[in-house]
């Protein structure tokens, strides 16, 4: 629920329907306006405004040097961003699609993630890597991957993913302001989701690393993030018919991980299901379930369950609905939380 | 004040005595001059060479171009009807696509990108199988070994090292195989492009790289992609010949590629061919080309339409009359009608195929997930799953092959 925000200047800004894409664009624009060190670079980010139009108008407003169409080479883009950051800029890199970020992994893992550590803090890299990710948009091969586990497994990277229009703005501002590198995962099937949102900057930019409770409930906690948040909210509504009162926690940030909010919720409800569309085996849910179990074991009435994509390469669009965890699969898991009865 | 010749380097008196004689490995091993492309793209049409061109080849090229154009317009229409998820059209680039298919022998391999459905079809692949990726029913709709066509490749330039490796392996086995790999102008900026060219040259692999320079990588024009004099010039740095050809001149593309293929086959090593052409349609049906280019540019290129250019030559030489033209057009129309009809049927898909061919032996975890999906499908439509219900969960259950 978003209401009219009060801007830093103190004037009330009316909330109007806005898409997540618009909020992201606005965040980039405001960050560039506030800080001349912020530079946007990537494939097609200039004249075209990005294939999802997130950078639309930035080159016109700030010039080609601030919003730069690069040659088509992800390793080059991120590698150049490393050098730019070394020299005091704050590069915001756009990777066109999840699976096209892979050529840049060498730079990301070998340099971006560990530069602060290897230089004993002398050379932090304030780089934001924006990656549209996830499925559900009918994309052909290589356009629907959920790669968050790779990023999460790399120390030195922060991994952030918004699920609401508000957070798209606030978290991207926070990511760009962060002095450490952030992999900013944009759930592309929520790009066109709408909410009433103030076009003026919210006064407070959310700190990274805090989860948000999206729905209060008492009988179990759904722990989720990004594109699966709306799925879980819908499941929670549907579950009321079965007498389940579900709490929905939106992680927003996978690294750093908000143990406090998650565990406070699970301790109250005693049951938890982790929901995401990335594959399950070796996926983010395993880490989350382990943490919850380690910290909340004595409060748990049932094992922490996972509802995830299947452990297969992302399927072609005509079959993706069978792969993506939907409301029914979440509800089935919730039903399985009646552990005592089942065993 | 730089002069072009190295003899102009001013040496201090006596300094030469301190310069070590470079060991042999330091000296350039190849004279770059023969590797350099001509400054102008090679042309046949409109030159004296056209008169000497084999009429049969010209007519074959013509027929294939017309069919190729019709294929492109038909596939584009299928996107509007929602029959294809996406189609990256090669309208305007048909001469490159068709020539790439025609210069290869049966034992050779083609390594196409997502834009090169037409090259695959011109090589003999069933058009519906070629469109599977773009329709969205499977990632690769054909057995690559059947026609020796690697899967249509979406990540840019990543197919190029594969082509090098395959060609190298074939040569190690003593087979007479050439690999022809297609890539766009944008793809030449990727690291994989550079690594592939370097490997190919060092190994003298029987590979031909064809860059279809169609002016844009989505919205980014060539001038923002490279500062090289031409993309063909890039070859020299790796030690292979670079060839520049008019990509809208079908006999010219055919000739340059044939020479490169034969050179590779005879042990002469790789060649980089840049075909200068133009993408007449938007990047894909999802792209708005008016954001980054004007109609005037597109109109200019219409005058260099590959079909128009060849038709002019054929007509002038009396090789093509209205009757023949109609026969060719009718053939293309028939092909399009058949394609339309076949694509209008919904593909019959078995969701259980999701678990087939992930591994040679299905893992236990996948077996469990297959059980879950099977139960869901049974709940959706009890009769429709066609599931014999056997072998629940075990490795390599009852679903058989993915295709
Ligand atoms: C590694 C990688 N990065 C980005 C993309 C997204 N993408 C698809 S096509 C394209 C432009 C390619 O241009 P070019 O190589 O000139 O080929 P063309 O599409 O013009 O045939 C881009 C950036 C991709 N497919 N792969």
């Amino acid at each position: 629920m978003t209401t009219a925000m009060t801007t830093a200047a103190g004037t009330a800004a009316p909330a109007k329907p806005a898409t997540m894409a618009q909020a992201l664009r606005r965040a980039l624009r405001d960050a560039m306006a506030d800080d001349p060190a912020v530079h946007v670079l990537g494939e097609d980010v200039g004249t075209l405004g990005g294939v999802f139009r997130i950078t639309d108008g930035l080159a016109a407003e700030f010039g080609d040097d601030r919003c730069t169409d690069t040659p088509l080479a992800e390793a080059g883009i991120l590698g150049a961003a490393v050098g730019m950051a070394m020299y005091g800029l704050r590069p915001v890199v756009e990777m066109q699609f999840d699976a096209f970020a892979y050529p840049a992994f060498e730079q990301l893992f070998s340099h971006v993630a560990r530069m602060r550590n290897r230089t004993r803090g002398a050379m932090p890299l304030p780089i934001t890597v924006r990656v549209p990710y996830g499925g559900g948009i009918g994309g052909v091969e290589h356009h629907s991957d959920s790669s968050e586990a790779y990023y999460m497994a790399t120390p030195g990277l922060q991994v952030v993913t918004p699920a609401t229009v508000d957070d798209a703005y606030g978290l991207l501002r926070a990511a760009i302001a962060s002095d450490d590198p952030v992999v900013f995962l944009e759930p592309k099937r929520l790009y066109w989701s709408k909410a009433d949102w103030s076009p003026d900057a919210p006064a407070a930019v959310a700190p990274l690393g805090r989860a948000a409770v999206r729905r209060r409930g008492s009988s179990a906690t759904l722990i989720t993030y990004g594109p699966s948040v709306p799925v879980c909210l819908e499941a929670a509504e549907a579950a009321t018919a079965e007498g389940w009162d579900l709490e929905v926690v939106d992680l927003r940030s996978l690294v750093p991980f908000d143990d406090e909010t998650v565990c406070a919720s699970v301790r109250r409800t005693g049951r938890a299901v982790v929901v995401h569309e990335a594959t399950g085996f070796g996926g983010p849910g395993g880490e989350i379930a382990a943490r919850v179990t380690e910290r909340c074991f004595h409060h748990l009435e049932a094992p922490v369950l996972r509802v995830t994509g299947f452990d297969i390469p992302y399927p072609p669009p005509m079959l993706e609905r069978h792969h993506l965890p939907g409301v029914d699969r979440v509800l089935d898991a919730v039903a399985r939380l009646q552990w005592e009865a089942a065993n | 004040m730089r002069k072009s010749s190295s003899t102009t380097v001013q040496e201090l008196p006596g300094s030469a005595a301190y310069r070590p004689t470079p060991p042999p490995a330091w000296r350039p091993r190849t004279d770059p001059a023969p590797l350099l492309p001509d400054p102008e793209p090679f042309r046949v049409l409109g030159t004296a060479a056209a008169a000497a061109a084999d009429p049969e080849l010209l007519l074959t090229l013509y027929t294939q171009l017309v069919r190729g154009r019709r294929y492109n317009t038909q596939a584009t229409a299928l996107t509007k009807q929602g029959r294809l998820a996406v189609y990256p059209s090669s309208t305007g680039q048909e001469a490159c696509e068709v020539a790439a298919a025609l210069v290869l022998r049966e034992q050779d391999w083609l390594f196409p990108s997502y834009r090169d459905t037409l090259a695959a079809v011109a090589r003999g692949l069933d058009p519906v199988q070629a469109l599977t990726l773009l329709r969205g029913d499977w990632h690769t709709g054909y057995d690559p070994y059947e026609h020796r066509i690697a899967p249509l490749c979406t990540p840019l330039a990543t197919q190029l090292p594969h082509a090098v490796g395959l060609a190298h392996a074939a040569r190690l086995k003593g087979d007479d195989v050439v690999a022809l790999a297609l890539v766009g102008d944008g793809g030449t900026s990727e690291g994989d492009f550079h690594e592939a060219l370097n490997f190919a040259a060092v190994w003298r692999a029987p590979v031909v790289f064809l860059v279809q320079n169609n002016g844009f990588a989505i919205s980014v024009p060539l001038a923002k992609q490279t500062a090289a004099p031409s993309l063909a010039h890039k070859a020299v740095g790796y030690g292979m010949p670079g060839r520049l050809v008019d990509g809208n001149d079908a006999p010219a593309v055919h000739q340059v590629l044939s020479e490169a293929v034969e050179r590779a086959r005879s042990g002469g090593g790789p060649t980089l061919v840049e075909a200068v052409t133009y993408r007449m349609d938007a990047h894909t049906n999802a792209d708005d080309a008016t954001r980054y280019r004007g109609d005037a540019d597109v109109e200019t290129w219409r005058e260099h339409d590959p079909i128009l250019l060849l038709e002019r030559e054929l007509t002038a030489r009396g090789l093509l009359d209205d009757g023949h033209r109609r026969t060719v057009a009718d053939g293309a129309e028939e092909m399009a009608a058949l394609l339309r009809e076949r694509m209008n049927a919904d593909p019959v898909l078995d969701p259980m195929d999701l678990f087939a061919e992930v591994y040679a032996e299905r893992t236990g975890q996948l077996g469990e997930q297959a059980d879950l999906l099977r139960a869901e499908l049974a709940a959706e439509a009890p009769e429709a799953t066609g599931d014999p219900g056997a072998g629940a969960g075990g490795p390599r259950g009852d679903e058989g092959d993915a295709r």
Side-chain angles (χ1 to χ4, degrees):
Chain A
M1 273 295 288
T2 310
T3 50
M5 292 276 177
T6 303
T7 64
T11 48
K16 287 189 295 225
T19 62
M20 180 179 280
Q22 286 168 328
L24 291 166
R25 182 184 315 138
R26 183 68 190 207
L28 289 173
R29 199 215 144 263
D30 290 356
M32 291 175 88
D34 285 358
D35 182 355
V38 176
H39 283 239
V40 168
L41 61 157
E43 295 155 10
D44 301 288
V45 297
T47 316
L48 190 68
V51 293
F52 293 108
R53 306 285 186 267
I54 308 299
T55 58
D56 201 10
L58 298 181
E61 185 173 350
F62 298 100
D64 291 349
D65 285 346
R66 296 281 306 281
C67 178
T68 309
D69 273 334
T70 63
L72 212 172
E74 294 75 11
I77 296 167
L78 190 52
V82 169
M84 289 165 75
M86 283 177 175
Y87 207 73
L89 299 184
R90 303 185 88 86
V92 182
V93 158
E94 176 172 305
M95 293 289 156
Q96 202 158 75
F97 272 92
D98 32 54
F100 305 146
Y102 299 150
F105 272 25
E106 161 74 357
Q107 287 295 335
L108 192 72
F109 296 164
S110 299
H111 298 291
V112 174
R114 58 179 86 198
M115 193 66 91
R116 173 186 288 278
N117 184 258
R118 67 204 275 234
T119 63
R120 297 194 164 217
M123 191 177 269
L125 295 177
I127 298 174
T128 303
V129 185
R130 296 181 36 242
V131 189
Y133 83 118
I137 62 158
V140 298
E141 196 179 14
H142 303 287
H143 289 79
S144 302
D145 286 15
S146 295
S147 331
E148 56 268 33
Y150 306 132
Y151 302 117
M152 287 172 72
T154 306
L157 297 178
Q158 300 173 94
V159 187
V160 171
T161 177
T164 68
V165 174
D166 245 344
D167 271 1
Y169 182 92
L171 292 175
L172 185 51
R173 289 299 307 264
I176 296 170
S178 169
D179 286 333
D180 280 319
V182 178
V183 175
F184 192 85
L185 299 167
E186 300 175 1
K188 50 176 122 58
R189 73 169 137 133
L190 298 184
Y191 269 150
W192 303 280
S193 65
K194 281 191 179 170
D196 288 345
W197 180 68
S198 160
D200 290 327
V205 167
L208 298 180
R210 297 275 170 78
V213 178
R214 296 288 175 212
R215 185 187 193 281
R216 287 269 163 206
S218 56
S219 34
T221 303
L222 302 180
I223 306 167
T224 188
Y225 56 86
S228 296
V229 171
V231 174
C232 287
L233 287 171
E234 199 185 327
E237 284 311 311
T240 55
E242 310 284 327
W244 286 91
D245 177 24
L246 299 178
E247 181 143 316
V248 177
V249 175
D250 171 5
L251 293 173
R252 304 156 110 206
S253 164
L254 298 167
V255 183
F257 188 86
D258 185 355
D259 290 303
E260 205 180 310
T261 303
V262 170
C263 291
S265 173
V266 175
R267 285 187 187 125
R268 267 194 305 105
T269 63
R271 294 175 171 86
V273 182
V274 187
V275 182
H276 59 65
E277 64 180 61
T279 53
F281 196 86
E287 174 62 33
I288 297 166
R291 301 182 80 77
V292 170
T293 307
E294 284 167 357
R295 285 165 177 74
C296 312
F297 184 71
H298 295 295
H299 300 265
L300 285 172
E301 308 282 344
V304 181
L305 300 180
R306 286 171 291 169
V307 179
T308 70
F310 293 133
D311 299 328
I312 58 175
Y314 196 89
M318 283 186 178
L319 291 174
E320 70 179 340
R321 75 180 178 91
H322 297 291
H323 167 75
L324 293 171
V327 170
D328 288 346
R329 225 169 263 170
V330 176
L331 291 175
D332 282 350
V334 169
R336 275 188 287 136
L337 287 175
Q338 282 165 316
W339 187 250
E340 322 83 33
N343 286 270
Chain B
M1 284 228 303
R2 248 179 81 235
K3 298 227 183 96
S4 57
S5 165
S6 59
T7 57
T8 58
V9 171
Q10 295 292 309
E11 290 186 5
L12 296 173
S15 65
Y18 295 101
R19 181 151 1 111
T21 308
W26 289 12
R27 292 201 200 103
R29 275 156 288 177
T30 320
D31 173 7
L35 305 181
L36 278 167
D38 291 335
E40 276 300 305
F42 176 74
R43 291 196 177 88
V44 168
L45 298 174
T47 75
D54 173 18
E56 205 176 313
L57 172 66
L58 294 186
L59 283 169
T60 305
L61 286 169
Y62 177 73
T63 307
Q64 291 289 343
L65 284 188
V66 172
R67 287 173 70 88
R69 174 65 49 85
R70 191 62 192 89
Y71 180 83
N72 273 324
T73 53
Q74 186 56 59
T76 304
L78 286 167
T79 61
K80 298 196 178 109
Q81 293 150 20
R83 284 291 170 189
L84 288 179
V86 67
Y87 185 69
S89 158
S90 58
T91 294
Q93 305 178 213
E94 289 94 344
C96 305
E97 298 281 306
V98 160
L102 294 187
V103 297
L104 297 180
R105 293 193 199 156
E106 200 187 327
Q107 73 268 30
D108 295 334
W109 275 76
L110 181 71
F111 284 80
S113 84
Y114 55 87
R115 195 177 297 287
D116 305 312
T117 337
L118 183 54
V121 171
R123 185 162 166 74
L125 183 62
D126 174 355
V128 173
Q129 291 184 345
L131 287 172
T132 303
L133 166 77
L134 302 167
R135 175 159 70 178
D137 40 330
W138 202 258
H139 300 309
T140 303
Y142 53 92
D143 176 355
Y145 287 100
E146 202 181 317
H147 294 279
R148 294 181 171 77
I149 302 172
L152 295 165
C153 190
T154 305
L156 293 163
T158 46
Q159 75 277 24
L160 306 183
H162 308 167
V164 175
L166 181 137
H168 178 61
R171 211 155 71 110
L172 291 180
K173 282 193 169 185
D175 294 340
D176 192 17
V177 168
V178 174
L180 170 58
L182 304 175
V183 66
D185 42 295
T188 65
S189 295
E190 290 282 2
D192 278 359
F193 171 84
H194 301 278
E195 296 181 27
L197 263 68
N198 195 42
F199 269 62
V202 168
W203 284 352
R204 277 180 89 80
V207 192
V208 177
F209 302 98
L210 172 61
V211 181
Q212 294 178 68
N213 170 7
N214 63 11
F216 290 90
I218 309 189
S219 71
V220 179
L222 188 69
K224 282 193 177 182
Q225 198 65 247
T226 180
S230 78
L231 296 170
H233 274 82
K234 294 188 179 235
V236 182
Y238 300 104
M240 73 174 78
R243 294 287 173 255
L244 194 55
V245 62
D246 180 340
N248 287 17
D249 180 333
V253 183
H254 188 273
Q255 185 176 326
V256 169
L257 284 182
S258 298
E259 285 165 9
V261 165
E262 285 326 305
R263 183 170 176 276
R265 202 183 305 286
S266 60
T271 306
L272 173 66
V273 178
E274 175 188 357
V276 182
T277 181
Y278 197 78
R279 162 160 65 68
M280 296 304 288
D281 290 341
H283 171 67
T284 69
N285 52 298
D287 170 43
D288 175 9
T290 61
R291 281 184 163 248
Y292 53 84
R293 72 182 188 189
D295 289 344
D297 296 352
V298 184
E299 284 314 310
T300 309
W301 276 90
R302 254 183 236 297
E303 293 155 30
H304 304 286
D305 186 300
I307 299 179
L308 199 73
L309 297 181
L310 186 53
E311 208 168 57
R312 202 180 290 155
E313 175 65 30
L314 287 168
T315 312
R317 280 178 67 185
L319 294 170
L320 187 69
D321 57 21
D322 282 349
H324 195 149
R325 192 176 293 128
R326 212 168 311 117
T327 312
V328 171
D330 288 350
E333 204 48 53
E334 225 170 277
M335 176 273 303
L338 185 62
L339 178 60
R340 210 162 44 230
E341 189 188 308
R342 293 180 63 203
M343 291 296 290
N344 271 335
D346 284 323
V348 181
L349 302 180
D350 181 357
M352 296 311 293
D353 277 349
L354 288 179
F355 304 100
E357 304 298 348
V358 179
Y359 299 98
E361 293 280 324
R362 179 187 290 173
T363 63
Q365 287 87 351
L366 280 182
E368 284 169 22
Q369 293 174 10
D371 288 344
L372 169 65
L373 181 58
R374 191 181 291 114
E376 287 179 359
L377 293 170
E380 259 179 39
E383 260 102 277
T385 61
D387 175 46
R396 185 75 195 183
D398 45 290
E399 280 74 43
D401 202 286
R403 262 144 283 175

